[in-house]
Amino acid sequence: MIFPIVYNWVIIILRTCFITIARSYLPVWLTLDYLADLMYLLDMVITVHTGYLDQGILIKDLTQLKKHYLHSKHFLRDLVSVLPTDLLYFAFGLQTPLVRINRLLRLPRLSEALDRMETRTSYPNTFRISKLMIYIFVLIHWNACLYFALSSYVGFGSDLWVYPNITTPQFASMRRQYFYCFWFSAQIFTTVGDTPLPEREEEQLFMIADLLIAVLVFASIVGNVGNVISSLSNRDNVFFPNHELVKAYLRSHHISKDLRKRIDNWYQHLHINKKIMRENEILQQLPLHLQTEIAVSVHLPTLSKVTIFQNCEKSLLEELVLKLTPQVFSPGEYVCRKGDVGHEMYIIKEGKLAVVADDGVTEFAVLSDGNFFGEISILNIKGNKSGNRRTANIRSIGHSDLFSLSKEDLTDVLSEFPAAKHHLEEKGRQILTKMGMLEDSGEGEPAEAEKVETKITRLETNLEALQTKLARLMVELESSNRKMQARVQQLEWEVAAVETHLPQDEEEGERGEGVGGEVVWEREEAEGEEQDGADAKGEKTGQRENNNDVAKEGDGESTKSTKEDVERMIEGDKSAPNVTQDQVNGKGNSEHQKQEKEDNRHGKGDGAEIDSEEKKEKENGESKSEEQLEKGKEDRIPMEQKDEEKKN
């Protein structure tokens, strides 16, 4: 869509203002016009079949795509841009290309195309500059066309500001007309100021508008170019260390010339060979899975060459490649010295390193691409005679590119892969055994394994003992709960029985010893209460039968209470005739009792109070004896059931 849109934005205004150009190449213009229209229609068809994202899901169904496009504002704009306005040629003639002005509505599609190209190109800064130049060219082109049209309206050659007289052969050619107008517009927009002064009002208004636009154009040019330059500078700062800051630091501290030269050579090597030292910072903006894929594609072949990492899980290698740090060593520089504490291992990516003696001259071996060293000092292998110390001197022969893997990073990764950790330690022991650097621990490992098995067995035994104790405690707790429930129920029954007889005692105390009819009524009422109590206690006996387990687990307290209740019932039976006799004797003195009862209600006399209290005590004793007799009967039933269950 870049070609048809740019064509319409450039040619329509050109043919409208430069009539000579429009007439001279009319067949070419008409052919290009309808070719551009065909591309507009083709773009609409492709847009209908272009998927879109709905909640992160790519929609490809044609029915939904059509509905989505037809109900969008883009369809309305595209439809207006392809309306057949060329039919107006029959009314105004072929020399009026302005009837195709609706084709300019496709400008947003051009911006979309340029944005997509900018994200896909490998040189975004260059593309931004090119896009800016295209915009400036179109703007100057439009201003040149309008300047020529204004000159034609005012009159060619009428003053110095307008275009010269076209009747002059020097200014009559089409190319001269366009180039002169384009040069004049470029002078205005670049604010050079070497243009004639306008004399008419129309010319002055045109110059005012151009100068205002020129300010915006100049600001946009300066701003965009400044952004491109700053982004290039930022890219260099991210890719490579800042050399100027290091130079200033070295000068301020009067570092020796030899050391400064080595540092300059190191920086020069980085820039010439495009060595990147901050890979993690550059890729930090990407998601973690993309960082992993990039690191795997770049570093995994090198990491796979390491002997101790061969046959390891792929997930382990993917974790390790994110931990690798690139390092560059200059010629003659020592990577590590014998006896130093090892904090990282090294993998050679490019270059050669020599294993040298303490004198720095004698070379024992030469390491090249894919070799590694320092892995033993970061594995913490038991029995290593050298501990975590370096066992050799490694010096770079030329410029060498290495990857370093720190001890902390390797420990963190191996903590999630215990099998790989055991595998790496096993390989490390084999290497130390070949070198003669591993202490002979004999049966240390089997003894350690036996220790672990003994600990596991002891823990299992302790766990079983604790489970047994817990089961016993649970049984005891359940038994205690049942006993407590039985005692609480017994107390509730006793309290209920006492509360039932308290109101009767109060009423009898108020009545005193009345007529014999009242005594008879009281006896009938007591017999009714005994019957009700017998029914209620029959229900309670059923409840006790359901709770035989509680009675089985209870102690001998229930048996003792039953015996005491039986003794109390016997005493109550003995006292019952006395109470009855007292009540019979009280019949003859009904008149006197009524008088005493009234006196007792009014609080007169002490004798009435004493008699009423004695009667209450007798009645309470009688009721308690009856209640105890019923309890004794009920308690015998569980005892008989217990005996039968014990026999079974």
Side-chain angles (χ1 to χ4, degrees), residues 333-368:
E333 186 177 358
Y334 277 89
V335 179
C336 62
R337 293 180 181 273
K338 186 176 180 179
D340 293 343
V341 178
H343 297 288
E344 60 274 317
M345 67 172 294
Y346 295 95
I347 304 170
I348 303 174
K349 180 183 179 183
E350 184 180 354
K352 291 185 178 182
L353 291 87
V355 182
V356 298
D358 295 338
D359 56 6
V361 178
T362 307
E363 294 184 2
F364 298 116
V366 176
L367 306 177
S368 58

Side-chain angles (χ1 to χ4, degrees), residues 4 32 66 86 98 133 142 196 200 267 269 273 422 432 447 470 481 485 505 555 558 563 599 604 607 626:
L32 294 176
K66 289 180 180 179
D86 300 64
L98 198 61
M133 297 304 297
W142 270 68
R200 298 171 181 256
Y267 271 104
H269 172 73
N273 297 280
H422 180 70
L432 288 174
L470 178 62
N481 287 335
Q485 290 177 0
D505 296 339
D555 51 9
S558 59
K563 294 179 179 179
D599 295 338
K604 295 179 180 180
E626 293 173 355

Side-chain angles (χ1 to χ4, degrees), residues 510-513 589-605 607-609 611-612 615:
E510 292 177 356
R511 290 176 192 157
E513 295 179 355
N589 299 323
S590 60
E591 295 291 336
H592 183 66
Q593 288 175 356
K594 288 181 180 179
Q595 185 65 33
E596 288 178 352
K597 187 176 181 181
E598 291 177 358
D599 295 338
N600 186 24
R601 289 176 182 175
H602 293 287
K604 295 179 180 180
E609 295 178 359
D611 295 336
S612 62
K615 291 178 181 179

Side-chain angles (χ1 to χ4, degrees), residues 236-449:
D236 291 338
N237 291 335
V238 171
F239 274 55
F240 311 108
N242 194 337
H243 193 192
E244 299 300 327
L245 293 177
V246 177
K247 283 184 176 180
Y249 178 83
L250 297 178
R251 286 194 300 267
S252 63
H253 288 78
H254 306 288
I255 303 300
S256 63
K257 186 177 180 180
D258 185 29
L259 181 56
R260 281 189 291 173
K261 185 178 180 180
R262 288 172 53 193
I263 295 173
D264 293 339
N265 292 335
W266 184 78
Y267 271 104
Q268 186 178 7
H269 172 73
L270 293 182
H271 281 274
I272 292 175
N273 297 280
K274 304 299 181 184
K275 304 293 183 181
I276 302 173
M277 302 298 297
R278 300 178 178 179
E279 293 182 353
N280 296 333
E281 296 180 12
I282 297 170
L283 303 177
Q284 192 174 7
Q285 305 298 329
L286 296 176
L288 183 60
H289 66 280
L290 292 180
Q291 294 183 30
T292 304
E293 291 183 9
I294 293 173
V296 166
S297 62
V298 175
H299 304 316
L300 189 59
T302 304
L303 190 63
S304 300
K305 296 178 182 178
V306 180
T307 308
I308 61 173
F309 294 130
Q310 291 177 354
N311 302 324
C312 288
E313 301 178 31
K314 186 178 179 181
S315 56
L316 172 64
L317 299 181
E318 290 177 355
E319 291 286 338
L320 289 176
V321 293
L322 294 174
K323 308 294 185 181
L324 295 178
T325 304
Q327 294 188 12
V328 178
F329 291 90
S330 302
E333 186 177 358
Y334 277 89
V335 179
C336 62
R337 293 180 181 273
K338 186 176 180 179
D340 293 343
V341 178
H343 297 288
E344 60 274 317
M345 67 172 294
Y346 295 95
I347 304 170
I348 303 174
K349 180 183 179 183
E350 184 180 354
K352 291 185 178 182
L353 291 87
V355 182
V356 298
D358 295 338
D359 56 6
V361 178
T362 307
E363 294 184 2
F364 298 116
V366 176
L367 306 177
S368 58
D369 302 352
N371 293 124
F372 61 93
F373 56 92
E375 73 282 359
I376 302 300
S377 60
I378 66 173
L379 286 177
N380 288 333
I381 299 174
K382 294 182 179 180
N384 186 2
K385 294 180 180 180
S386 61
N388 294 332
R389 302 284 180 176
R390 301 293 188 188
T391 58
N393 300 312
I394 309 294
R395 187 180 62 188
S396 176
I397 298 175
H399 288 283
S400 303
D401 297 341
L402 281 71
F403 287 121
S404 66
L405 179 63
S406 66
K407 183 177 181 179
E408 292 77 11
D409 293 338
L410 182 62
T411 303
D412 293 341
V413 174
L414 292 180
S415 62
E416 301 176 1
F417 299 91
K421 180 179 180 181
H422 180 70
H423 177 68
L424 294 178
E425 289 178 351
E426 215 34 65
K427 285 192 173 183
R429 289 192 188 94
Q430 294 176 5
I431 295 172
L432 288 174
T433 303
K434 291 180 180 179
M435 296 172 59
M437 299 294 294
L438 185 65
E439 293 180 355
D440 188 9
S441 57
E443 299 179 354
E445 293 181 3
E448 186 176 356

Side-chain angles (χ1 to χ4, degrees), residues 438-583:
L438 185 65
E439 293 180 355
D440 188 9
S441 57
E443 299 179 354
E445 293 181 3
E448 186 176 356
E450 290 178 1
K451 278 185 180 180
V452 174
E453 292 179 358
T454 304
K455 290 180 180 179
I456 293 173
T457 306
R458 186 172 65 254
L459 289 175
E460 291 177 351
T461 305
N462 294 337
L463 180 61
E464 291 178 358
L466 290 174
Q467 289 177 349
T468 305
K469 290 181 180 179
L470 178 62
R472 290 177 181 174
L473 290 174
M474 293 297 294
V475 171
E476 292 177 1
L477 177 62
E478 188 176 358
S479 176
S480 300
N481 287 335
R482 289 178 180 177
K483 291 179 182 178
M484 186 63 68
Q485 290 177 0
R487 295 294 299 277
V488 170
Q489 288 180 359
Q490 185 177 356
L491 291 174
E492 288 178 351
W493 294 338
E494 292 179 0
V495 171
V498 172
E499 290 178 352
T500 303
H501 291 285
L502 281 177
Q504 297 177 3
D505 296 339
E506 292 177 358
E507 291 178 0
E508 291 174 357
E510 292 177 356
R511 290 176 192 157
E513 295 179 355
V515 293
E518 292 179 356
V519 175
V520 175
W521 177 81
E522 290 174 356
R523 287 183 178 178
E524 292 177 354
E525 186 178 5
E527 291 175 358
E529 290 176 356
E530 290 175 3
Q531 185 66 27
D532 295 337
D535 296 338
K537 288 172 181 175
E539 294 177 0
K540 294 176 183 177
T541 304
Q543 292 179 358
R544 289 188 178 181
E545 290 176 358
N546 294 332
N547 297 328
N548 285 333
D549 294 337
V550 179
K552 290 177 185 178
E553 293 178 0
D555 51 9
E557 294 177 359
S558 59
T559 306
K560 294 179 181 179
S561 62
T562 304
K563 294 179 179 179
E564 293 175 0
D565 293 338
V566 171
E567 293 175 359
R568 290 176 183 174
M569 284 189 291
I570 295 170
E571 293 175 1
D573 293 335
K574 293 178 180 179
S575 61
N578 296 330
V579 176
T580 306
Q581 186 65 32
D582 292 337
Q583 292 177 353

Side-chain angles (χ1 to χ4, degrees), residues 160-161 183-189 191-198 207 211:
L160 296 177
W161 188 84
W183 168 80
F184 188 84
S185 298
Q187 278 190 322
I188 296 174
F189 282 152
T191 63
V192 174
D194 190 14
T195 56
L197 295 177
M207 284 295 296
L211 289 175

Side-chain angles (χ1 to χ4, degrees), residues 118 125 127-133 135-136 216-231:
E118 182 178 348
N125 293 318
F127 185 82
R128 292 191 192 103
I129 296 294
S130 302
K131 183 173 67 173
L132 179 63
M133 297 304 297
Y135 288 154
I136 294 174
L216 298 177
V217 171
F218 183 77
S220 64
I221 293 173
V222 172
N224 280 276
V225 174
N227 288 334
V228 171
I229 295 173
S230 63
S231 64

